Structures are given as C-alpha cells and as structure tokens.
Amino acid sequence: MRIPNSFITDLRSNYTDFAVACKLYSLVSSHTKRSSNGYEVCIKQETIAASCKCSVSSVKRSVCRLEEMGIITHKYRLDGSEGRLGAYHYALKPYDLSKNYFYMNNRKAYSAELSPKLFYVYAVFCKLMCNDIARFYQSLNDLSALIRLSRQKCQRS
C-alpha cells in the first residue's frame, strides 16, 4: 500500500490515528470510486479495530480526529438488512500518490498483529528503507528521535 510521507509527521502524536488512517488508505486501489469528496471506501469499524489491534471506541475517537484534520472529508452510514446499521462509508482526502509516498506491504503489515505503536515503528522503517537493498542506515539516536521513543524502547522494538 502507498502511504503519503506526510502521515509520518502529521499523525505521530497518536499511533492509533496513524494505524486507522493507514488501514483506510490501504483500501484505496485503482478500482476505488473517486467522488467530489475524495476516495470512497466502505468498511466496518469492527474490522478496522481488529486490523489495528485496538478497541472500537478507539477507532471511533480516531475517526473523529481524522475528520478534524481533514483526512476524512465525509462519512455516512446506510441502513442494512432488517433495520440494522451497515458499514461506514468514508470519503478520504485524495493525495497525489505518484510522488512523496512510501510503500508498505499490506499483508505483512496487518498479519504481524502489531500494536499501533509497533505499527508506526514498522512504517517508519519502511519509509527509511532503501528499495535496492532493503536496509537503512540511520543511527539508533536518529531513529529514536524520529519515532519519539526512548533509545531503550527503540532497541526493544
């Protein structure tokens, strides 16, 4: 999945917001409908919570914060069968993903069952990685400053 570089700096204050935003943008593909509000994706909040290893109430709070930041431009929910509420439909802010993005493997990122904080660390590693050799050369001090974790916690991650 392609993730805008700005997510690393804009969403680093809350790891759950970052994980939820990445999950929503992982659903955007060449077949995704684009409306005047942005990319239209449909997903249940329970599914997001299961993927991001957090609670549904955390997802609800993250969605509200993402709306305030303008990443989610519009959301609505339709009635499902037998009067039940269906999945949420989100309109996501369109980013130019032809440049200024980094790539994360969708299957590896969500099958590893990482907490939101470790998911953020994994995303930073993916952003710093050189595509030719699959390595990066930042020092531990630089990594801990970028991730905003102590040096000891960075070593354990």
Side-chain angles (χ1 to χ4, degrees):
M1 71 180 133
R2 292 180 179 181
I3 304 297
N5 286 340
S6 61
F7 278 16
I8 294 290
T9 55
D10 294 346
L11 299 175
R12 72 178 173 186
S13 61
N14 192 317
Y15 301 120
T16 306
D17 292 354
F18 179 79
V20 169
C22 286
K23 181 61 182 174
L24 290 173
Y25 274 92
S26 73
L27 300 173
V28 175
S29 68
S30 59
H31 304 293
T32 304
K33 184 176 105 177
R34 186 167 174 185
S35 68
S36 60
N37 293 328
Y39 297 113
E40 297 281 338
V41 295
C42 177
I43 189 169
K44 291 183 177 182
Q45 288 184 344
E46 292 86 7
T47 306
I48 297 172
S51 294
C52 297
K53 305 300 177 247
C54 60
S55 66
V56 176
S57 59
S58 295
V59 171
K60 289 179 183 181
R61 287 190 298 271
S62 291
V63 165
C64 290
R65 285 190 292 269
L66 292 173
E67 281 182 300
E68 290 171 2
M69 288 186 253
I71 294 173
I72 297 175
T73 58
H74 185 71
K75 78 173 181 182
Y76 61 93
R77 193 173 188 185
L78 299 175
D79 289 335
S81 62
E82 300 174 3
R84 295 182 183 183
L85 288 173
Y88 278 97
H89 295 260
Y90 299 101
L92 305 174
K93 179 181 176 181
Y95 283 96
D96 181 20
L97 294 176
S98 62
K99 57 184 177 182
N100 296 327
Y101 72 91
F102 65 96
Y103 180 78
M104 282 192 333
N105 188 321
N106 199 3
R107 287 188 182 140
K108 286 183 183 178
Y110 291 109
S111 66
E113 298 186 7
L114 301 173
S115 68
K117 184 186 286 187
L118 290 178
F119 183 82
Y120 180 78
V121 171
Y122 175 73
V124 170
F125 286 178
C126 289
K127 181 183 182 307
L128 296 175
M129 183 175 59
C130 178
N131 291 335
D132 299 337
I133 55 176
R135 294 183 183 157
F136 57 90
Y137 297 102
Q138 282 71 19
S139 69
L140 192 56
N141 290 336
D142 291 343
L143 286 174
S144 64
L146 183 62
I147 298 171
R148 294 177 57 182
L149 289 174
S150 69
R151 186 179 159 103
Q152 290 80 18
K153 287 184 182 179
C154 192
Q155 280 180 321
R156 281 185 264 157
S157 299

